[in-house]
Amino acid sequence: MKLIEVTDKASRNLFHKLPHIIYQDDPNFSCPLISMTEENFDPQKNSFFKHGKAIRWVLLNSRDEPIGRIAAFIDFDKASAFEQPTGNIGFFECINNQEAATTLFDKAKGWLAAQGMEAMDGPSNLGENYMNHGLLASGFMPQGFGMPYNPPYYLDLFKNYGFNVYYEQYCFHIDYTKPFPERFWKVAEWVAKKPQYSFKHLEWSRVDKIIEEFCEVYDGAWRKHEHYKPLDREELRNFIVSSKMLLDPEFVWLAYCDNKPIALFVMVPDFNQALRYIKNGKLNLWNMIKLMWFIKRGKFTRARIFIMGIVEKYQRSGIDAAIFWHLNKVMQHKPGYKEIELSWAGDFNPKIVSLYKSTGGTHAKTHYQMRYLFDREKTFERCKTIE
């Protein structure tokens, strides 16, 4: 076996071959667009590189066939937030072979250690954790857009190397053909009609104002979390603008108390339902036509809640339920949607787990965020619970 760094078109092509090898017979897998994956590694398109660095490799067998891949990266704004400086790994794909996986993990560990890191977390993404974050441990079904998918044996590859579960991520699914629990809906309507509260969905004409309000809510909701880092306004704006084809303005909401933003909510159609029609991950003209046909025909039946945040002072006010109450009016003229995925809620955040349960949603999937301490004598500690 030999490792090669991804530095040119040939090595990038090998990097993108891996999903087709690993998932060639898996009906649950939707191949991501190559262009979307590559944008992660483009300093011109990913603001991560203003405060981070990344590298990636492909593992070849004796016949120079790709059998594994991995990326290692460091967000220097976040790395020092832990007891030990911690980097990340991601974009991991590998055949069911522990020696191959160990070779990949060793390479990433060596690079991260040379940068001063003392631990590595993964699988994760070069950016915010609402995209491709975690290792699927249960619930092997078609994944929602932005939710990672992997074969069941990946968990053994990680654990056998020495990774531990740092925290668990829970995904809940709501059957939208059934009514919400009566108590939930009564609270939702009662709060939604309080005169001090108001609710607005995204309007493209005021996107810059909404970005400022998003950042204000995000700060008030997560500043006490040990992983907290203020949102990068440029990164958020780039995400919203680049996702314009996919985002439905009526799925993006802000809640206000006396005109001050206090809660945010972002839901997107499950783009993976469209990507299933594109087998090679390439956005050529014919595939673009197929995508646009799918989107224009309104063929989506599932949506995924990317993020829901509430300023700490209002986290027990019922404002979350009130957002669902307003969203329900939108959904009434979008009858094609049958399911909503709420993802993800970390086990370190019992408030959001409780909220997702209160909707009547079913716990459908669990992902793990894994951590490996380079000092094997050091005591491993799981992520702290948000009180």
Side-chain angles (χ1 to χ4, degrees), residues 48-50 59 82 91 138 154 171 222 243 248-249 279 290 312 324 332 352 372 382:
F48 164 89
F49 288 95
K50 293 190 299 184
L59 181 65
F82 304 99
F91 303 90
S138 67
Y154 276 23
C171 296
W222 283 289
S243 304
D248 184 331
K279 302 301 183 182
K290 288 194 290 185
E312 184 178 17
F324 276 100
Q332 287 174 5
I352 197 70
Y372 180 90
R382 288 190 60 146

Side-chain angles (χ1 to χ4, degrees), residues 112-233:
L112 290 168
Q115 311 296 317
M117 298 297 103
E118 297 175 8
M120 56 186 178
D121 285 359
S124 45
N125 187 37
L126 282 81
E128 299 302 324
N129 60 21
Y130 46 73
M131 289 289 288
N132 300 316
H133 191 82
L135 185 72
L136 183 61
S138 67
F140 291 87
M141 60 185 71
Q143 73 274 34
F145 179 65
M147 290 304 297
Y149 181 81
N150 53 261
Y153 68 80
Y154 276 23
L155 182 57
D156 288 333
L157 298 181
F158 274 77
K159 286 189 171 181
N160 290 340
Y161 185 76
F163 281 90
N164 294 102
V165 178
Y166 185 49
Y167 56 79
E168 298 183 6
Q169 307 164 208
Y170 305 135
C171 296
F172 291 78
H173 288 194
I174 297 174
D175 182 348
Y176 222 81
T177 65
K178 298 178 181 179
F180 281 82
E182 183 178 359
R183 182 179 181 278
F184 178 87
W185 218 231
K186 285 183 177 180
V187 170
E189 183 176 10
W190 176 64
V191 176
K193 293 182 177 181
K194 285 187 174 184
Q196 68 268 38
Y197 294 139
S198 58
F199 304 82
K200 295 179 182 178
H201 64 71
L202 172 65
E203 295 173 350
W204 292 113
S205 61
R206 55 188 298 268
V207 66
D208 289 322
K209 175 66 173 174
I210 286 174
I211 287 171
E212 291 300 317
E213 292 172 339
F214 255 60
C215 293
E216 185 176 342
V217 173
Y218 189 90
D219 179 71
W222 283 289
R223 76 179 77 181
K224 290 186 177 180
H225 189 261
E226 66 173 323
H227 303 143
Y228 170 74
K229 187 189 82 167
L231 280 177
D232 185 305
R233 283 163 172 75

Side-chain angles (χ1 to χ4, degrees), residues 350-368:
K351 290 179 184 177
I352 197 70
V353 173
S354 178
L355 165 64
Y356 284 4
K357 288 181 178 179
S358 72
T359 66
T362 300
H363 180 187
K365 299 193 289 285
T366 297
H367 293 76
Y368 294 156

Side-chain angles (χ1 to χ4, degrees), residues 267-286:
M267 184 170 77
V268 297
D270 183 6
F271 196 50
N272 280 353
Q273 291 186 308
L275 291 180
R276 291 175 71 84
Y277 291 89
I278 299 177
K279 302 301 183 182
N280 59 9
K282 296 178 180 179
L283 200 56
N284 54 32
L285 178 61
W286 176 237

